[in-house]
Amino acid sequence: MEEMEEELKCPVCGSFYREPIILPCSHNLCQACARNILVQTPESESPQSRRASGSGVSDYDYLDLDKMSLYSEADSGYGSYGGFASAPTTPCQKSPNGVRVFPPAMPPPATHLSPALAPVPRNSCITCPQCHRSLILDDRGLRGFPKNRVLEGVIDRYQQSKAAALKCQLCEKAPKEATVMCEQCDVFYCDPCRLRCHPPRGPLAKHRLVPPAQGRVSRRLSPRKVSTCTDHELENHSMYCVQCKMPVCYQCLEEGKHSSHEVKALGAMWKLHKSQLSQALNGLSDRAKEAKEFLVQLRNMVQQIQENSVEFEACLVAQCDALIDALNRRKAQLLARVNKEHEHKLKVVRDQISHCTVKLRQTTGLMEYCLEVIKENDPSGFLQISDALIRRVHLTEDQWGKGTLTPRMTTDFDLSLDNSPLLQSIHQLDFVQVKASSPVPATPILQLEECCTHNNSATLSWKQPPLSTVPAEGYILELDDGNGGQFREVYVGKETMCTVDGLHFNSTYNARVKAFNKTGVSPYSKTLVLQTSEVAWFAFDPGSAHSDIIFSNDNLTVTCSSYDDRVVLGKTGFSKGVHYWELTVDRYDNHPDPAFGVARIDVMKDVMLGKDDKAWAMYVDNNRSWFMHNNSHTNRTEGGITKGATVGVLLDLNRKTLTFFINDEQQGPIAFENVEGMFFPAVSLNRNVQVTLHTGLPVPDFYSSRASIA
């Protein structure tokens, strides 16, 4: 009986059921626990309002919890698989036995009544903590649920069987532990008292002796509780409604909703359902037997896996050791060749040293002899040997000049070891699949909780199904063009997370991923809908700015250390949509002329913005402004900037125009038309100017209204 203990515990409190009630989903709850997890529902979902609208079909209306949906959230920009459409929005927690439980929206009011009689809040809803189906209570509240008397009886018997050992009732002093119970005498005996007071002969021989625990169960200390009708609490169940599949009383048949239903005798249906339950248990017993055999098979597999692992590791180590031995032998051979070359070089150099030493000694001796001859004062004697000495000196000098003073051997070793093929082979050393053909990987699953968008970039994450046994060698991520067009590959590799930059703002993208291995490619995952931001949040980019630019305020404020104009770009590029940002002039000294606008990523950074053909800008001083592109100045406009002024830049890529504003007033006409491509916000300034960037701004109202009229 110990194996069924979990069946006897409430999924909310984790203790044995107390006054259990049966929910329409066939699960049980303590009556007090059921009251604790009640939640309030909107007025529109009450049974009365549903019946009034013609949608109510029963006293307990199940909420639509089984529909899953894929939707796109505007604030986060990514799709996700939704939860319960009509479920209460209260967070769930875990009960002591690990089942998710929905807590009450507010604590139940204090009352002196019992849980069954205490009033239930209007429009209450209860969610089964086991199957998570929700239903709205009618006017009867928790009284509308039948009480599970059978479960109470099972719990009583289980608790009694787990109680302390029973004592003999006939011991005079210290009662001993009972060993048997006589069902006819209704007395517990220890062995000595049984032999003395209940001998197995005569009239007592026909009495039935049973173990104490079994006797206690049959003895039942409390009378059996009788199940009463939920609608008529003073009436016992007398019949069984076949249509509603529940016991009913005679008042239900005469005046209740079961009056027109087919009913049968309670005892006959009791026996029939017992027979059906026994037959169902036979099938379940077969499944349990198969499960036990399967567990034995799995345990044998564990042992076999361990044995095979040890054997395979030994084989792997032996193979690797053989490779290492072969490498060591080859290493010894190569070292022998190096030593041979070493000895050869030393021999050649030492022979040359010996030869040069002998010749140097002979030359030195000849030189000393000639010096002594030169000292001779006898002309005739000197002339007799002078010619021979001169020829000998020239001959010796010529001998030194014929490569004698050049080393015959270099110090370098003309041996080079090419180990790249072997290293490549070692890196490619891997296990060969024994199977002739392996299946393709399973379809990847997009991890929606880790997928998100930021500005015009999207981060996607995926994984293999938990029970997948076929490994994937890599993944292919595909996105469409943001306009419902064809998909294109944006990532191919082994990673399971990818960030895609450079998407269009205020656009909807569809994403999907598939896995591949040597065999083939898996099916595509479910398509995920991604929504990029409507407006852009960005800062200045230190990585692409001129080195004289000084950043502060989390890269939102910039100035310069040079008197010359230097360019700094924003981090985000635009190729689609309408975008507006502003720059506040924090410092303006000595009437400089900063420039504001947009540029390509490769714009010149050491000149004023607009000097080359990669920038479109407005440069302005304290009195007037000009538009400039490719060093061409146009549209001089009166009105300049001072400290505290605000310059606005409006890039409308839908209409292909660029417009400027100073202090919320348009500065001149439309500055540039027919602008296409990828543009980055840009500013050029010197040390006399400091500006702060403001992003994520909506398009000015007057421009939106003008665009709608146009």
Side-chain angles (χ1 to χ4, degrees):
M1 294 182 67
E2 294 180 357
E3 296 181 354
M4 72 171 181
E5 183 169 328
E6 289 300 322
E7 290 287 332
L8 309 180
K9 291 184 179 180
C10 175
V12 177
C13 63
S15 302
F16 288 108
Y17 286 103
R18 295 183 297 275
E19 298 184 358
I21 58 175
I22 308 175
L23 301 180
C25 59
S26 300
H27 293 117
N28 300 280
L29 283 178
C30 296
Q31 195 169 64
C33 295
R35 173 168 292 276
N36 288 338
I37 64 173
L38 289 178
V39 295
Q40 291 292 103
T41 59
E43 183 69 25
S44 60
E45 295 185 0
S46 65
Q48 294 82 357
S49 61
R50 292 199 176 194
R51 282 194 291 268
S53 61
S55 62
V57 295
S58 66
D59 290 337
Y60 303 99
D61 296 332
Y62 278 103
L63 302 180
D64 187 9
L65 302 182
D66 299 326
K67 295 181 180 179
M68 305 295 286
S69 61
L70 180 67
Y71 62 93
S72 177
E73 300 177 358
D75 55 348
S76 64
Y78 67 88
S80 62
Y81 295 97
F84 302 139
S86 306
T89 57
T90 54
C92 66
Q93 61 187 16
K94 285 190 176 181
S95 68
N97 60 354
V99 179
R100 291 190 303 164
V101 178
F102 293 93
M106 60 184 66
T111 175
H112 63 281
L113 300 175
S114 65
L117 300 177
V120 172
R122 181 180 178 84
N123 302 334
S124 294
C125 171
I126 188 171
T127 300
C128 177
Q130 290 181 290
C131 65
H132 307 298
R133 298 187 66 181
S134 296
L135 54 102
I136 300 173
L137 275 62
D138 59 10
D139 295 336
R140 295 174 295 172
L142 297 178
R143 293 184 293 104
F145 298 121
K147 295 179 176 57
N148 197 335
R149 302 299 186 190
V150 175
L151 180 57
E152 285 186 294
V154 173
I155 293 174
D156 287 345
R157 291 195 297 271
Y158 179 76
Q159 290 179 325
Q160 291 169 7
S161 66
K162 298 283 287 186
L166 298 174
K167 301 297 182 180
C168 176
Q169 294 177 305
L170 298 180
C171 290
E172 295 180 355
K173 295 183 179 180
K176 298 180 181 179
E177 182 177 341
T179 57
V180 295
M181 173 194 171
C182 177
E183 289 186 339
Q184 286 70 28
C185 301
D186 195 15
V187 176
F188 291 94
Y189 298 95
C190 63
D191 287 337
C193 294
R194 177 179 59 83
L195 294 175
R196 186 180 68 254
C197 304
H198 199 286
R201 58 183 180 275
L204 300 179
K206 297 181 180 180
H207 287 196
R208 184 167 180 259
L209 302 178
V210 296
Q214 181 180 347
R216 186 170 194 176
V217 171
S218 62
R219 184 177 175 178
R220 295 302 301 276
L221 299 179
S222 58
R224 184 177 183 84
K225 297 180 181 178
V226 180
S227 178
T228 58
C229 181
T230 56
D231 295 328
H232 310 93
E233 297 182 356
L234 300 179
E235 299 295 334
N236 297 334
H237 290 143
S238 58
M239 299 295 288
Y240 181 83
C241 179
V242 178
Q243 182 174 344
C244 299
K245 297 183 179 180
M246 60 182 297
V248 295
C249 67
Y250 81 94
Q251 287 192 17
C252 293
L253 300 179
E254 292 182 355
E255 57 188 32
K257 60 184 179 181
H258 305 280
S259 57
S260 60
H261 295 174
E262 179 186 359
V263 296
K264 290 187 177 180
L266 194 65
M269 294 305 297
W270 172 57
K271 294 181 179 179
L272 176 62
H273 281 203
K274 275 195 172 184
S275 175
Q276 292 176 352
L277 180 59
S278 298
Q279 294 177 0
L281 283 176
N282 290 334
L284 187 59
S285 176
D286 294 339
R287 295 297 176 270
K289 182 179 179 181
E290 293 175 2
K292 290 181 179 179
E293 295 174 353
F294 182 64
L295 284 175
V296 173
Q297 179 183 353
L298 291 179
R299 292 189 180 98
N300 293 334
M301 288 180 63
V302 170
Q303 182 178 358
Q304 189 65 36
I305 289 173
Q306 292 175 344
E307 294 175 356
N308 291 343
S309 174
V310 172
E311 180 180 355
F312 191 78
E313 287 179 3
C315 181
L316 175 63
V317 170
Q319 288 179 306
C320 292
D321 288 344
L323 293 176
I324 295 172
D325 291 340
L327 186 61
N328 286 330
R329 288 194 298 270
R330 188 58 179 168
K331 174 184 174 182
Q333 295 172 0
L334 294 176
L335 286 176
R337 289 181 56 185
V338 172
N339 291 332
K340 183 178 180 181
E341 182 71 12
H342 168 252
E343 295 296 334
H344 173 67
K345 285 181 177 292
L346 287 179
K347 182 178 182 303
V348 172
V349 172
R350 286 169 179 168
D351 290 345
Q352 191 174 13
I353 291 173
S354 176
H355 178 71
C356 287
T357 302
V358 172
K359 287 189 66 65
L360 179 60
R361 185 166 55 249
Q362 293 173 353
T363 302
T364 304
L366 179 61
M367 291 172 59
E368 292 178 352
Y369 173 70
C370 291
L371 290 175
E372 291 297 327
V373 170
I374 292 174
K375 297 177 182 179
E376 181 62 41
N377 294 325
D378 183 7
S380 61
F382 178 80
L383 291 175
Q384 286 179 350
I385 62 173
S386 60
D387 289 335
L389 284 177
I390 292 173
R391 288 194 302 271
R392 187 177 175 187
V393 168
H394 284 300
L395 180 61
T396 303
E397 182 181 0
D398 291 340
Q399 289 178 350
W400 281 110
K402 295 180 180 179
T404 307
L405 299 180
T406 301
R408 298 176 185 175
M409 184 61 66
T410 63
T411 58
D412 296 332
F413 283 75
D414 298 330
L415 300 175
S416 59
L417 183 64
D418 184 11
N419 63 346
S420 56
L422 181 58
L423 285 176
Q424 185 176 3
S425 299
I426 292 175
H427 292 155
Q428 293 177 350
L429 189 64
D430 202 350
F431 301 105
V432 179
Q433 295 292 334
V434 179
K435 296 181 180 179
S437 61
S438 59
V440 298
T443 303
I445 299 175
L446 287 166
Q447 295 185 280
L448 304 178
E449 64 277 6
E450 297 184 13
C451 298
C452 64
T453 61
H454 176 71
N455 276 347
N456 62 337
S457 65
T459 299
L460 297 106
S461 177
W462 58 89
K463 65 179 181 179
Q464 282 292 100
L467 301 179
S468 174
T469 58
V470 181
E473 296 182 1
Y475 303 90
I476 300 174
L477 176 64
E478 296 183 357
L479 256 70
D480 65 1
D481 59 359
N483 291 320
Q486 293 183 348
F487 282 85
R488 67 189 190 281
E489 291 183 3
V490 296
Y491 171 76
V492 178
K494 296 182 179 180
E495 299 296 329
T496 58
M497 179 175 288
C498 177
T499 298
V500 184
D501 298 317
L503 303 178
H504 298 307
F505 282 87
N506 195 21
S507 300
T508 301
Y509 288 84
N510 295 307
R512 63 187 185 184
V513 65
K514 59 183 178 180
F516 65 88
N517 60 10
K518 294 180 180 179
T519 304
V521 181
S522 75
Y524 285 104
S525 67
K526 292 185 178 180
T527 301
L528 181 65
V529 180
L530 300 158
Q531 175 69 43
T532 55
S533 301
E534 295 183 11
V535 295
W537 299 84
F538 60 93
F540 289 115
D541 185 14
S544 62
H546 193 278
S547 58
D548 292 340
I549 296 295
I550 301 173
F551 295 83
S552 60
N553 189 23
D554 292 334
N555 297 335
L556 294 175
T557 301
V558 292
T559 184
C560 184
S561 61
S562 171
Y563 283 105
D564 297 322
D565 291 311
R566 300 293 187 246
V567 173
V568 58
L569 302 180
K571 275 193 172 182
T572 302
F574 306 110
S575 60
K576 180 182 177 182
V578 183
H579 308 280
Y580 178 74
W581 62 93
E582 293 180 349
L583 299 108
T584 302
V585 181
D586 301 326
R587 188 178 73 250
Y588 187 79
D589 303 328
N590 302 325
H591 310 301
D593 46 358
F596 310 86
V598 297
R600 308 290 191 195
I601 189 65
D602 56 345
V603 65
M604 295 174 61
K605 307 295 193 316
D606 56 352
V607 296
M608 177 185 288
L609 193 67
K611 287 285 187 180
D612 62 355
D613 62 346
K614 303 296 178 57
W616 293 255
M618 175 189 73
Y619 73 95
V620 57
D621 58 16
N622 60 324
N623 292 320
R624 62 193 67 83
S625 67
W626 293 264
F627 303 141
M628 185 166 62
H629 170 64
N630 200 15
N631 205 22
S632 174
H633 308 252
T634 60
N635 296 98
R636 170 178 168 175
T637 304
E638 297 298 320
I641 60 174
T642 60
K643 180 180 179 180
T646 299
V647 178
V649 183
L650 179 62
L651 178 63
D652 188 346
L653 292 172
N654 296 337
R655 303 172 65 185
K656 303 178 182 179
T657 61
L658 180 63
T659 310
F660 297 93
F661 303 84
I662 296 180
N663 295 329
D664 298 328
E665 294 292 334
Q666 184 172 335
Q667 183 73 357
I670 293 177
F672 301 98
E673 297 181 342
N674 298 321
V675 291
E676 292 181 284
M678 177 69 74
F679 299 93
F680 290 81
V683 177
S684 69
L685 41 73
N686 62 13
R687 66 182 302 168
N688 293 317
V689 182
Q690 177 176 300
V691 297
T692 297
L693 178 65
H694 304 279
T695 63
L697 304 177
V699 177
D701 294 336
F702 72 91
Y703 182 83
S704 301
S705 59
R706 185 194 307 169
S708 61
I709 295 174

